């Protein structure tokens, strides 16, 4: 099957197998932040944006992305670096395996809701499996990041 999609802003036209999962497609194209964890759409490690909305690439056929825009963490470097520094600063990175999924979902959350409550943050990030932490570091990091963004906007205004 012939597909035509944008991956991190780059147009890709390619012949693919009908059963190719999006996770395998993006990794083939060098997007190694997208990780294979559970393969059952339960861990969040394979999160990508499809037309700006988070989806689990381990459960989506590449054919479904035909004509669409796919964005991985590699395509969101400025935002990812900011959020990543707050995760590291709060000791939330631990082994780091889950960080790309957390960052993708945090970026999606902050784009939708710039002033979420603790409960909303935890709910939005609940689909991300982290075996190292109790999610307290991630919550602290997200709250500090939001406070920093708010202060930055107030100073810049």
């Amino acid at each position: 099957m012939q597909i035509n999609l944008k991956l991190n802003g780059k147009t890709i036209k390619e012949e693919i197998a009908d059963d190719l999962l999006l996770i395998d497609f993006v990794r083939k194209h060098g997007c190694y932040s997208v990780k294979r964890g559970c393969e059952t759409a339960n861990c969040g490690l394979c999160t990508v944006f499809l037309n700006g909305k988070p989806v689990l690439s381990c459960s989506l056929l590449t054919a479904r992305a035909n004509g669409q825009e796919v964005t991985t963490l590699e395509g969101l470097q400025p935002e990812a670096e900011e959020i990543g520094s707050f995760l590291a600063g709060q000791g939330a990175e631990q082994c780091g395996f889950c960080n790309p999924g957390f960052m993708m979902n945090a970026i999606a959350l902050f784009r939708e809701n710039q002033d979420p409550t603790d409960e909303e943050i935890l709910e939005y990030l609940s689909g991300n499996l982290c075996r190292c932490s109790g999610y307290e570091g991630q919550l602290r990091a997200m709250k500090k990041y939001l406070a920093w963004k708010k202060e930055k906007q107030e100073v810049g205004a």
Side-chain angles (χ1 to χ4, degrees):
M1 153 177 215
Q2 180 77 22
I3 60 152
N4 180 6
L5 59 80
K6 277 193 175 187
L7 177 59
N8 295 327
K10 179 183 172 190
T11 299
I12 299 176
K13 294 180 183 181
E14 189 173 305
E15 189 70 29
I16 63 163
D18 294 343
D19 63 348
L20 181 66
L21 292 173
L22 188 56
I23 186 173
D24 297 317
F25 179 84
V26 298
R27 288 185 61 83
K28 174 185 169 195
H29 288 277
C31 301
Y32 300 118
S33 68
V34 183
K35 298 178 181 169
R36 179 172 264 108
C38 66
E39 296 192 64
T40 59
N42 287 309
C43 71
L45 295 175
C46 67
T47 302
V48 301
F49 289 168
L50 183 63
N51 298 326
K53 300 290 182 192
V55 297
L56 299 171
S57 63
C58 76
S59 62
L60 185 70
L61 292 173
T62 304
R64 297 287 307 259
N66 189 31
Q68 311 294 319
E69 187 167 343
V70 178
T71 309
T72 68
L73 206 54
E74 287 82 358
L76 299 169
Q77 282 306 297
E79 289 172 283
E81 287 174 12
E82 286 179 352
I83 292 172
S85 69
F86 281 87
L87 285 168
Q90 292 302 310
E93 81 284 359
Q94 306 245 344
C95 81
F97 195 68
C98 65
N99 281 354
F102 268 110
M103 288 190 275
M104 290 296 289
N105 283 295
I107 289 168
L109 168 64
F110 301 148
R111 286 179 177 181
E112 289 180 21
N113 183 352
Q114 295 180 358
D115 192 25
T117 65
D118 289 4
E119 292 77 26
E120 289 170 325
I121 293 171
L122 289 171
E123 182 180 328
Y124 214 89
L125 301 179
S126 67
N128 292 275
L129 178 64
C130 177
R131 292 187 173 113
C132 299
S133 75
Y135 301 96
E136 289 301 314
Q138 286 90 347
L139 179 59
R140 279 193 315 272
M142 297 301 111
K143 289 169 65 172
K144 286 188 180 284
Y145 173 76
L146 288 168
W148 173 78
K149 287 281 278 191
K150 189 174 187 176
E151 181 180 312
K152 187 175 160 183
Q153 288 173 342
E154 289 171 358
V155 170

